[in-house]
Amino acid sequence: MIFMKRKGFALAWALVVCLLLAHNAYLWLGQHIAPDTDILNLLPVQERDPLLQRSFTHMVDAAQQRVVVLVGAADWNDAKRAADAYSAVLAKRPDLLQAMPATENAEADWLAQFQPHSLILLTADQENKLQTQPAQFWTDAAQAKMLSPFGGPKLGAWRDDPFDLFGGWVRERSQETPVRPRDGHLFVASADKQYVLLPLTLQVPAFSISAQQAVVPLLTLADAAARQAVPQVDIVKAGVVLHAAAAGSQANSEVSTIGIGSLIGIILLMWATFRSFKPIALILLSIGIGFLGSFSICWLLFGRIHLLTLVFGASLIGVAQDYGIYFLCNRLSADSKLDSVALLKRLMPGLLLTLLTTVIGYMGLALTPFPGLRQMALFSAFGLVFAWLTVACWFPILIGSSGLSSGALVRVYAAPPFPWPVLRANKASFAAVAVFIVLAAIGCTRLGANDDIRLLQNPPAQLVRDQIKLGKLLDTSNPVQFFLVRGNSVETVLQREEQLKKRLDPLIAQHKISGYQALSNWVPSMQTQTARRSLIESKLLNDGGPLTQLAGRIGEESDWVAATRAHLLESAKPLALDAFLDSKASEPWRQLWLGEADGTFASIVALRGAGNATLPLLQQAGSGIEGVQWVDKVGEISSVLGRYRQYMGWVVLCSYLVVFGLLYPRYRRNAWRVLAPAAVASVATLAMLGIAGQDLQLFHVLALMLLLSVGVDYGIFMLEHPKRGDYTPWLAVGLSAANTILSFGLLGLSKTPALQAFGLTMLIGTALVWVLVPCFATEN
Amino acid sequence: MMKRALVALCMTVCVAAHAAAPVAKIQQMLAKPKVLCGRFDQSKQLTGLKKPLASNGRFCVVTGKGVLWRTLQPFPSTLRLTRDEIVNYQGDHVAMRLDAQQEPTVRMINSVLFAMLAGDLAQLDSLFDVDGDADGNHWHVALKAKEPALAKAIGAITLEGDSYVKNITIIDASGDRTNIVFSAMQSGDSAMQPEEAALF
C-alpha cells in the first residue's frame, strides 16, 4: 500500500517535471527569451525615473555599436598608408563593420548653414569684450582684419564678418573636438604622432557571441595588414564589442578550468564514496529540476528574470545537493532490510527542517523593497522546494535498499583515526572561546566596505589602456556622468543650460574640466539671441560707433555704413533648435537632445576631461538651478549594490533568529548547537577578511547567507544522529562540504574580484563549518 | 582658415608648383636663403567698397623659426607664424592666437610651409594643381587646390617672380581680391632688423 502511494507521488512528480520541461523549452527555444541585464531595474519602483533611464540608454546605446580605431605614425603619409591598408581588410566584410564616410564638404557645409544666423552667434569672451571694451578697440579690430592678407575662417567676404565675431565663434566650436578633415581622412594629432581616425559601426549586435567571434579576428587581420604596410604604426582601438569579447573569453576559460576542475573533483569524490555514478546523476537530476521549476515559476510571476537573479540562483546548487546527499548517505549506512520508502519516512523530520530553515531564510529577502532581491528570494526558495520534492518523490523509487555499495571513503569515516575535539564546559573550551572572541573583534573592526561596480568586471589591461588613450586623444565626453536638464519648453531648457554653463566656466578656467558639450553652444536660447542682437546693434552698429569710425578711416560715406549695417542685420535671423537638429551639421550632437515626453523637454550637457576628483565639484555646480540634475550612473549603481548589501546583511542576521525559532520545537536546549558552527564560521571568515585588509562587498554577504543555510543543514544532520558510533552524519557532512568547496571554493581562483570574494568566503567558511560541526555535537 | 595664411605666406618664400617641366627649372631659378626679409605693398579690393585698400610693411622668413609679417601703414599689426603657433598682435595685445594643441591644422599648415622652405616640392604638389611656365629668368604659376574644401577656403592664387617671388594675387571665392608686391629683398643675417629679431 505504502509502496503504491509512493509510486503515486512519483508519477505525479513525473507529470510535474514534464510540464516544467515543456514550459522551459517553450520559453528558451520557442520565445528566445533572454535575461534582463539593466541594473537600474533592480531599483525600487518609486525610485525609478523613466526620463533618467532614457537619458542613460540614449548616451550608451549610441556608443554601443561603435568601434573607434586610430592608426598613427610619426609621418602623416605613413599614417595614411597604414590606414588605407587597415580599411582595405575591413572592406572585405561590410556585413560586419562599416566605415563612416568622411565627407569632403562637411566642413564647408556646416559653416554655410550657420551663415544667416552668424550675428547672434558669439562666444562668452566676445560678449564680455563687447560690454567692456571701448569703441576704438573694435574699430581697430575691424581695420586690422580688413588689411590682413590672411583673415579668419573663410566664410565669405570681409563685409560678412567685419569684426571677426563669427570667426571667433567658429574657432571656439572647432575646439570642441580635436578631429579635423585632412586629405579625405579624419585627422587627430598627439604630441609626437599623427593619427587617422576610423570610426566604424558594427552591423551585428555587440553582445552576440557569434558576432564577437567574427569581429575580433577581423580586426586582428586588419592590424596585421597595417603593420605590414608601416612597421612602426601605432594602432589604438576601443569599442564595447572588444570588452564583451574579452569578458566572454575570460569567462570561458574560467568555466573550463574552474568548472572542469570542480566537476572532476566531485565525480572522484562520489566514486570514492559510492563506487558508482548513479548517485551523482541523481543529485544532478534533483538540482536540474530545481532550476527548471524555479525558472518557470519566476517567469510566470514576474514576466522577466534578471541576470543577477540567475547568478545568485546558481549558488543554490550548494544547498540543494544536501538533500540528495543526506538521503544517499543514510541509504548507504542503513540496514538493507529497511526499504527506501521507510527510510525516507525516518529521515523526513530532518529533511523537512533543513528545507524550512533555508527557505524561511531566503524569504526574508522577499520582504525588502528591492525587486531584484525579491526575485532572488523566490527563485532560490522555489528551486530548493523543487529539488527537495524530487528527492522525496523519486529517490526512494530510484534507489532500492541494496542499490548502493560503500566505497573507500566510507571506511575512513567508519573508523576515524582520532577522536575529534568536542566543545564541553571545561577550561580548554573557555580559553578557546576567549581567544576566538578577541581575534574576531580585531578582524571585524578592521573591515571596510566597497560597493564599486567596477569590481564586477576585470577587463584586460591593454583594453583599458587603449580606452584611456583614445579618450585623451579624441577628448571625448563621458557617457555615464553628465547633467540632465529639464524644462516645460525648448526655450526653458536652453535657458537653464546657459545658467549651468555659467557655473561650469570657472571650472574650465581652473582646468578641472576641459570643456562641455551642450546644444545651447550651437543654438542659444531666444532670450540670449535677442540680447546679443541688441548688444551688437548698440555697441558696434550705432551711429558714431566703430562702424562709422571705420568708414571715416577708409574714406567711405554714410551710405556705405548703412549698406553694411543692413547687410549684417540680415545675418541676424533667429535660429531654432528644430532647424539645427534637422541639418547635417547637428549629427554629432543629436544624442544630447532627449526630445519631449509628457510635456517635459530634456537635454544632456556632457562634460569633457572630467576626472574622478572633480565629480563632487560638478555635483555642486549643478545644484540650485531648477530642472538641472547631476547624473552619475556609476555612482548610482554602486549605491544600489551598497543598499542591497546592507539589506542582505540585516536579513542574514534576522535569519539566524528565525531559524533558531524553527529549530527550538524539535531540538529544545540543543538548538543552538545547530546554529553555532555557521555563526562561528561566518564571524571567523569576516575577521580573516578584515585582517587581510579586504573590503566587504555584496558577494561576501551573499556567501554568508549561503553559509548559514549550509551550516544549519550540517548541524541538523549531526543532531539527527546523535549516536557516537554512527558515521552517517560525518559522511554526509564531509561529502556535502567537499562538494561545496569544490564547486564554489574554486571560484576564489577567478580573476573577477566579485566572484573571487564569493569563492573565498565560501571556501574558508565551508571549511570552518566542516571542521566545527562535530565540535558542537551533543554528549552521548 | 589659416589655409589662406598657408598659401599666401608660402608663396612669399619660393614656390615650387609645377606642371612637370617648369618645376625643376623654377626650383633652380629660386634662391633659398636661410634668412629672407623685405618690404611688401598690399592692395585689397573688398566687395562693397568703392576704393581699394592699400597697406605696406615688412616681412621676414627664417628657416627653422618661422615667418613674421608686419603691417606698418596705415594701421600697425603683426602676424607671426612658428611651428606650433599662429599669433596676431595688435599693438601689444594678442588679437588672435591659434595653438597647435587646440587647433591641429596649425602644425599641418606650418609643416607644409616649412616643407617649402626646405624646398620639398612633393608636399605642395599633393595639395595643389599647378599650371606654370618659365622663360628666361622669369616664371609664372597658377595654383588651384585639389580638394574642394581647400579651394573654397583659398580661392585662386597666381604667383610670379624670378630669383625671389615678386608678386602674389589671391582671388577669394567671395570676390575679395588681394595683390601683394615684394621689393627690397635681402638675405643673410644682416637682413633682419633688430625689432624683427626681437619678435622672433
mmCIF file of all heavy atoms in Angstrom, chain A residues 421-441 680 683-684 768 771-772 775-776:
data_model
loop_
_atom_site.group_PDB
_atom_site.id
_atom_site.type_symbol
_atom_site.label_atom_id
_atom_site.label_comp_id
_atom_site.label_asym_id
_atom_site.label_seq_id
_atom_site.Cartn_x
_atom_site.Cartn_y
_atom_site.Cartn_z
ATOM 1 N N PRO A 421 37.970 16.851 18.721
ATOM 2 C CA PRO A 421 37.724 17.678 19.911
ATOM 3 C C PRO A 421 36.289 18.164 19.944
ATOM 4 O O PRO A 421 35.760 18.596 18.940
ATOM 5 C CB PRO A 421 38.692 18.853 19.737
ATOM 6 C CG PRO A 421 39.008 18.885 18.307
ATOM 7 C CD PRO A 421 38.944 17.473 17.822
ATOM 8 N N VAL A 422 35.683 18.089 21.085
ATOM 9 C CA VAL A 422 34.293 18.498 21.231
ATOM 10 C C VAL A 422 34.217 19.595 22.269
ATOM 11 O O VAL A 422 34.974 19.608 23.238
ATOM 12 C CB VAL A 422 33.416 17.308 21.662
ATOM 13 C CG1 VAL A 422 31.949 17.730 21.704
ATOM 14 C CG2 VAL A 422 33.595 16.149 20.704
ATOM 15 N N LEU A 423 33.318 20.491 22.087
ATOM 16 C CA LEU A 423 33.186 21.618 22.997
ATOM 17 C C LEU A 423 32.447 21.183 24.261
ATOM 18 O O LEU A 423 31.306 20.770 24.220
ATOM 19 C CB LEU A 423 32.386 22.707 22.281
ATOM 20 C CG LEU A 423 32.569 24.130 22.798
ATOM 21 C CD1 LEU A 423 33.929 24.648 22.422
ATOM 22 C CD2 LEU A 423 31.512 25.037 22.214
ATOM 23 N N ARG A 424 33.121 21.276 25.373
ATOM 24 C CA ARG A 424 32.477 20.958 26.645
ATOM 25 C C ARG A 424 32.696 22.118 27.577
ATOM 26 O O ARG A 424 33.452 23.029 27.291
ATOM 27 C CB ARG A 424 33.113 19.686 27.251
ATOM 28 C CG ARG A 424 32.912 18.443 26.428
ATOM 29 C CD ARG A 424 31.487 17.896 26.571
ATOM 30 N NE ARG A 424 31.277 16.872 25.561
ATOM 31 C CZ ARG A 424 30.553 17.058 24.458
ATOM 32 N NH1 ARG A 424 29.976 18.207 24.225
ATOM 33 N NH2 ARG A 424 30.416 16.086 23.597
ATOM 34 N N ALA A 425 32.047 22.088 28.711
ATOM 35 C CA ALA A 425 32.219 23.199 29.654
ATOM 36 C C ALA A 425 33.474 22.977 30.482
ATOM 37 O O ALA A 425 33.425 22.720 31.674
ATOM 38 C CB ALA A 425 30.987 23.283 30.548
ATOM 39 N N ASN A 426 34.636 23.076 29.835
ATOM 40 C CA ASN A 426 35.896 22.932 30.592
ATOM 41 C C ASN A 426 36.830 24.079 30.261
ATOM 42 O O ASN A 426 36.552 24.915 29.414
ATOM 43 C CB ASN A 426 36.553 21.583 30.289
ATOM 44 C CG ASN A 426 36.709 21.388 28.784
ATOM 45 O OD1 ASN A 426 36.707 22.331 28.016
ATOM 46 N ND2 ASN A 426 36.804 20.141 28.374
ATOM 47 N N LYS A 427 37.947 24.131 30.945
ATOM 48 C CA LYS A 427 38.830 25.287 30.821
ATOM 49 C C LYS A 427 39.338 25.469 29.401
ATOM 50 O O LYS A 427 39.425 26.582 28.892
ATOM 51 C CB LYS A 427 40.027 25.118 31.780
ATOM 52 C CG LYS A 427 39.753 25.711 33.138
ATOM 53 C CD LYS A 427 41.033 25.927 33.898
ATOM 54 C CE LYS A 427 41.054 24.898 35.000
ATOM 55 N NZ LYS A 427 42.171 24.770 35.834
ATOM 56 N N ALA A 428 39.676 24.342 28.775
ATOM 57 C CA ALA A 428 40.220 24.439 27.409
ATOM 58 C C ALA A 428 39.224 25.125 26.493
ATOM 59 O O ALA A 428 39.577 25.985 25.683
ATOM 60 C CB ALA A 428 40.565 23.052 26.895
ATOM 61 N N SER A 429 37.961 24.746 26.649
ATOM 62 C CA SER A 429 36.943 25.334 25.782
ATOM 63 C C SER A 429 36.822 26.832 26.036
ATOM 64 O O SER A 429 36.755 27.627 25.098
ATOM 65 C CB SER A 429 35.586 24.674 26.032
ATOM 66 O OG SER A 429 35.678 23.312 25.774
ATOM 67 N N PHE A 430 36.788 27.192 27.310
ATOM 68 C CA PHE A 430 36.639 28.626 27.613
ATOM 69 C C PHE A 430 37.807 29.420 27.054
ATOM 70 O O PHE A 430 37.644 30.499 26.499
ATOM 71 C CB PHE A 430 36.536 28.854 29.125
ATOM 72 C CG PHE A 430 35.175 28.535 29.654
ATOM 73 C CD1 PHE A 430 35.009 27.729 30.781
ATOM 74 C CD2 PHE A 430 34.033 29.018 29.030
ATOM 75 C CE1 PHE A 430 33.749 27.432 31.264
ATOM 76 C CE2 PHE A 430 32.781 28.714 29.511
ATOM 77 C CZ PHE A 430 32.638 27.913 30.631
ATOM 78 N N ALA A 431 38.996 28.855 27.180
ATOM 79 C CA ALA A 431 40.175 29.554 26.653
ATOM 80 C C ALA A 431 40.041 29.739 25.143
ATOM 81 O O ALA A 431 40.287 30.836 24.606
ATOM 82 C CB ALA A 431 41.433 28.768 26.990
ATOM 83 N N ALA A 432 39.627 28.641 24.490
ATOM 84 C CA ALA A 432 39.485 28.714 23.024
ATOM 85 C C ALA A 432 38.479 29.786 22.644
ATOM 86 O O ALA A 432 38.706 30.591 21.719
ATOM 87 C CB ALA A 432 39.056 27.351 22.468
ATOM 88 N N VAL A 433 37.375 29.809 23.360
ATOM 89 C CA VAL A 433 36.330 30.793 23.044
ATOM 90 C C VAL A 433 36.844 32.210 23.255
ATOM 91 O O VAL A 433 36.617 33.111 22.441
ATOM 92 C CB VAL A 433 35.075 30.537 23.911
ATOM 93 C CG1 VAL A 433 34.097 31.693 23.768
ATOM 94 C CG2 VAL A 433 34.396 29.244 23.502
ATOM 95 N N ALA A 434 37.581 32.410 24.347
ATOM 96 C CA ALA A 434 38.090 33.752 24.644
ATOM 97 C C ALA A 434 39.031 34.230 23.544
ATOM 98 O O ALA A 434 38.907 35.358 23.037
ATOM 99 C CB ALA A 434 38.794 33.743 25.993
ATOM 100 N N VAL A 435 39.972 33.360 23.155
ATOM 101 C CA VAL A 435 40.910 33.722 22.087
ATOM 102 C C VAL A 435 40.152 34.069 20.816
ATOM 103 O O VAL A 435 40.443 35.060 20.124
ATOM 104 C CB VAL A 435 41.899 32.561 21.832
ATOM 105 C CG1 VAL A 435 42.683 32.813 20.548
ATOM 106 C CG2 VAL A 435 42.842 32.407 23.009
ATOM 107 N N PHE A 436 39.180 33.244 20.530
ATOM 108 C CA PHE A 436 38.392 33.464 19.315
ATOM 109 C C PHE A 436 37.722 34.836 19.340
ATOM 110 O O PHE A 436 37.737 35.584 18.358
ATOM 111 C CB PHE A 436 37.342 32.354 19.163
ATOM 112 C CG PHE A 436 36.425 32.606 18.011
ATOM 113 C CD1 PHE A 436 36.855 32.441 16.707
ATOM 114 C CD2 PHE A 436 35.120 33.058 18.219
ATOM 115 C CE1 PHE A 436 36.021 32.697 15.636
ATOM 116 C CE2 PHE A 436 34.277 33.300 17.156
ATOM 117 C CZ PHE A 436 34.722 33.126 15.865
ATOM 118 N N ILE A 437 37.117 35.179 20.486
ATOM 119 C CA ILE A 437 36.403 36.456 20.557
ATOM 120 C C ILE A 437 37.359 37.616 20.332
ATOM 121 O O ILE A 437 37.058 38.567 19.596
ATOM 122 C CB ILE A 437 35.676 36.586 21.914
ATOM 123 C CG1 ILE A 437 34.502 35.600 21.956
ATOM 124 C CG2 ILE A 437 35.167 38.013 22.120
ATOM 125 C CD1 ILE A 437 33.748 35.602 23.258
ATOM 126 N N VAL A 438 38.537 37.530 20.926
ATOM 127 C CA VAL A 438 39.499 38.631 20.765
ATOM 128 C C VAL A 438 39.897 38.782 19.291
ATOM 129 O O VAL A 438 39.848 39.871 18.714
ATOM 130 C CB VAL A 438 40.753 38.375 21.630
ATOM 131 C CG1 VAL A 438 41.858 39.345 21.252
ATOM 132 C CG2 VAL A 438 40.404 38.530 23.099
ATOM 133 N N LEU A 439 40.289 37.666 18.677
ATOM 134 C CA LEU A 439 40.708 37.738 17.276
ATOM 135 C C LEU A 439 39.587 38.235 16.386
ATOM 136 O O LEU A 439 39.801 39.039 15.472
ATOM 137 C CB LEU A 439 41.186 36.357 16.808
ATOM 138 C CG LEU A 439 42.548 35.928 17.327
ATOM 139 C CD1 LEU A 439 42.821 34.495 16.920
ATOM 140 C CD2 LEU A 439 43.629 36.842 16.796
ATOM 141 N N ALA A 440 38.398 37.751 16.661
ATOM 142 C CA ALA A 440 37.245 38.153 15.848
ATOM 143 C C ALA A 440 37.007 39.643 15.962
ATOM 144 O O ALA A 440 36.763 40.330 14.965
ATOM 145 C CB ALA A 440 36.007 37.375 16.276
ATOM 146 N N ALA A 441 37.107 40.162 17.172
ATOM 147 C CA ALA A 441 36.872 41.602 17.364
ATOM 148 C C ALA A 441 37.894 42.408 16.567
ATOM 149 O O ALA A 441 37.553 43.369 15.880
ATOM 150 C CB ALA A 441 36.946 41.931 18.847
ATOM 151 N N VAL A 680 29.885 30.810 14.047
ATOM 152 C CA VAL A 680 31.320 30.948 14.328
ATOM 153 C C VAL A 680 32.109 31.050 13.031
ATOM 154 O O VAL A 680 33.012 31.870 12.887
ATOM 155 C CB VAL A 680 31.805 29.753 15.180
ATOM 156 C CG1 VAL A 680 33.309 29.744 15.253
ATOM 157 C CG2 VAL A 680 31.203 29.821 16.566
ATOM 158 N N VAL A 683 31.636 34.546 11.441
ATOM 159 C CA VAL A 683 32.390 35.591 12.138
ATOM 160 C C VAL A 683 33.879 35.431 11.866
ATOM 161 O O VAL A 683 34.600 36.407 11.613
ATOM 162 C CB VAL A 683 32.096 35.554 13.650
ATOM 163 C CG1 VAL A 683 33.022 36.487 14.390
ATOM 164 C CG2 VAL A 683 30.662 35.939 13.915
ATOM 165 N N ALA A 684 34.353 34.162 11.913
ATOM 166 C CA ALA A 684 35.774 33.928 11.682
ATOM 167 C C ALA A 684 36.178 34.368 10.278
ATOM 168 O O ALA A 684 37.236 34.975 10.074
ATOM 169 C CB ALA A 684 36.093 32.449 11.888
ATOM 170 N N LEU A 768 35.613 25.844 7.574
ATOM 171 C CA LEU A 768 35.474 26.042 9.019
ATOM 172 C C LEU A 768 34.241 25.320 9.552
ATOM 173 O O LEU A 768 34.291 24.663 10.604
ATOM 174 C CB LEU A 768 35.379 27.537 9.333
ATOM 175 C CG LEU A 768 36.710 28.299 9.305
ATOM 176 C CD1 LEU A 768 36.470 29.779 9.488
ATOM 177 C CD2 LEU A 768 37.647 27.777 10.379
ATOM 178 N N VAL A 771 34.837 21.666 9.850
ATOM 179 C CA VAL A 771 35.681 21.330 10.991
ATOM 180 C C VAL A 771 34.929 21.515 12.305
ATOM 181 O O VAL A 771 35.094 20.742 13.250
ATOM 182 C CB VAL A 771 36.945 22.223 10.955
ATOM 183 C CG1 VAL A 771 37.611 22.293 12.301
ATOM 184 C CG2 VAL A 771 37.911 21.716 9.904
ATOM 185 N N LEU A 772 34.089 22.551 12.386
ATOM 186 C CA LEU A 772 33.466 22.903 13.660
ATOM 187 C C LEU A 772 32.221 22.092 13.992
ATOM 188 O O LEU A 772 31.872 21.945 15.149
ATOM 189 C CB LEU A 772 33.106 24.393 13.661
ATOM 190 C CG LEU A 772 34.284 25.353 13.749
ATOM 191 C CD1 LEU A 772 33.817 26.775 13.495
ATOM 192 C CD2 LEU A 772 34.952 25.259 15.104
ATOM 193 N N CYS A 775 32.430 19.528 16.555
ATOM 194 C CA CYS A 775 32.773 20.061 17.878
ATOM 195 C C CYS A 775 31.535 20.388 18.690
ATOM 196 O O CYS A 775 31.576 20.413 19.919
ATOM 197 C CB CYS A 775 33.596 21.348 17.753
ATOM 198 S SG CYS A 775 35.159 21.129 16.934
ATOM 199 N N PHE A 776 30.449 20.666 18.011
ATOM 200 C CA PHE A 776 29.253 21.076 18.735
ATOM 201 C C PHE A 776 28.264 19.938 18.914
ATOM 202 O O PHE A 776 27.112 20.166 19.272
ATOM 203 C CB PHE A 776 28.581 22.244 17.989
ATOM 204 C CG PHE A 776 29.369 23.532 18.090
ATOM 205 C CD1 PHE A 776 30.304 23.858 17.133
ATOM 206 C CD2 PHE A 776 29.172 24.382 19.158
ATOM 207 C CE1 PHE A 776 31.032 25.037 17.239
ATOM 208 C CE2 PHE A 776 29.895 25.561 19.272
ATOM 209 C CZ PHE A 776 30.830 25.887 18.313
#
